[in-house]
Amino acid sequence: MSTADYTLHVLSGELEGQIFPVAQDLFVGRSTSCDVFVPDRRMSRRHARFFLDSGVLFVEDLESHNGTYVNGKRVMRERLFRSDIVRIGASQFEVALSGSLPSSTPKVDAPTAHLVKPIASGTIPDLGTMRPEDYFSAIGIGDTDAGLPRTPEQIAFLVKQTRNFAVLHEVAKTLQAGNGQAQMLHDVLGLIRKVLRADRAYVVRHRGSGHLEPLAVRASDDRDEDPRAIRMSETVAELVIRDRCGVIASDAVADERFSASESVVLNDVRSVLAVPMIVGDRVTGLIELETVRTINGFSEDDLDLLGIVASMIGTAVDNLELAEARERTIGELEEAQSQLISAQDRLVRAEQMAAVGRIASGIAHEVKNHLSPFLLADMLRRQYPDDEDIQEATELMLEAQRRILGLVDEIRRFASGASAEISMSLQDLSAVTANVVRFVRCDARIRAIVLQVDAPEPVLAEFDGDRMRQVLINLVRNASDATDSRHGQIVIRVRGDDQIAWFEVEDNGAGIPEEIAARIFEPFFTTKGDKGLGLGLDITRNIVEAHDGTLSFRRREGGGTIFRVSLPREQPGHAD
């Protein structure tokens, strides 16, 4: 036999009907450099080689991805005889002698049975509204004795219908349980997999433009697999979604449509049942069942049942995703509203601050003009150095002048957003407290209540004396405003340890209501009506934080409030 006696007749695929003589090495693949170029994505670029050795024809697989098959058997290198069928990708080549036609009775076995059946979007059964006679009709029993099954065929039909009806009932209950998408798909796939005796079941979402997203996978050992890890047959998915059909491949490895699919080869899938999820006029995904050991694992009845279940699942998934999208939209709108309100609050505050700054600048000019007579106090102090009453009164007057000017400057800085100016030095917090108490006793309201000081010993710390006096005055005045002038009581405590120095201002007033506790440090928030601007506590907190300290409050047992100021402490030996 000469080297030109063998030819390859293409029985199926892109080159169906063509004939290729084998006179020398003949390479087949997806690369244009091959002798037989086949634009088939199931083929590797250089998939297989036909060659002659001592007049004998061989085929050799070139480490292809999806393999080379001779008469249905995967081979690496195989001798070929007349009428052998070689399958590469979707193409089948029949070995023939030169001048002969393809054999009408090839030596391969008949193709494994398979089914492709159109699936329509059916009406999902509403089990909650069915009447008793509807139940009987659904499982094939009439309303008279004549309608009862008698023959084996009728009994088999009744069993099938009863099974299907029970499955649909359980699926409907699961979908209506409201346990979330993950648990819903877990339960439904577990039920379907057991009923239809599959080794694996999964749901895939079709997102459009060919994008497929696995949602859930249930394996034969009743565990969930990672959906991202499944190797899905794109061939099956494309057919199911494009043609809106259910597919049964009884022996997927031998089925010429799917055997080149990567997932079928790698997963060693034997039988495949896949149906589309159709919602209205849309294909929203598919459900696929697989067996890895059983050939002819699924029937047309199984396909019909799974088609109805798929529509039910598709509708449920759609509804859940719509609900989740609605929740996300509501959350985004709430967040946008919150941001808008926050922006409005910042704008209002900026406008308020600007107004306060303009007022403070004007007040500062007028106040300085009207405080000029206070300079007489200094003259009186020098004129009567031995008169203790005059010395104390003039000192209080000069202190008040400094407080008024400092307060106006503080409001102006606060309105402009500037940081508080701090001049740190080592001072005695107890001495500062005593000075403040002497000053605030000039206030008629504070004189009317009991003001106690608990500062048994000096407490040294690094702080700005003028700023800390301002803090303490603000807290004492707030405490006096919160108490009943007839029974009011304020206690100031000063303490310290190795780490911090602190003082507390405690009152026996009504206390801070729970509903406003979170707002008391907000600028312009006040409970004093026209008597307050709502800036005192915010200014106070800014001063304390400029010292790296903290300002906090707590409710007093029995009524009232305790404000505490804590400052980092520097020991005298560590001061510069």
Side-chain angles (χ1 to χ4, degrees), residues 83-101:
S83 299
D84 281 347
I85 302 295
V86 180
R87 180 166 58 81
I88 301 174
S91 299
Q92 294 189 84
F93 300 84
E94 181 180 9
V95 179
L97 298 177
S98 296
S100 66
L101 295 176

Side-chain angles (χ1 to χ4, degrees), residues 331-365:
E332 291 169 359
L333 290 175
E334 290 176 346
E335 177 64 21
Q337 182 185 32
S338 175
Q339 292 178 358
L340 178 60
I341 292 174
S342 178
Q344 290 174 334
D345 289 343
R346 290 194 299 271
L347 180 60
V348 170
R349 178 178 176 182
E351 292 175 349
Q352 291 173 328
M353 290 296 188
V356 169
R358 291 192 296 270
I359 294 172
S361 297
I363 291 176
H365 177 72

Side-chain angles (χ1 to χ4, degrees), residues 238-295:
E238 180 182 356
L239 177 61
V240 168
I241 292 173
R242 182 192 63 212
D243 296 343
R244 294 170 171 256
C245 63
V247 172
I248 296 177
S250 297
D251 188 356
V253 173
D255 193 316
E256 66 186 39
R257 298 167 301 164
F258 312 130
S259 59
S261 171
E262 177 183 351
S263 65
V264 171
V265 174
L266 294 182
N267 294 340
D268 195 24
V269 174
R270 301 299 296 179
S271 298
V272 172
L273 169 60
V275 296
M277 296 192 302
I278 301 178
V279 180
D281 60 350
R282 298 178 300 116
V283 178
T284 63
L286 63 94
I287 299 179
E288 183 167 321
L289 305 182
E290 299 173 349
T291 66
V292 297
R293 294 177 296 274
T294 306
I295 298 177

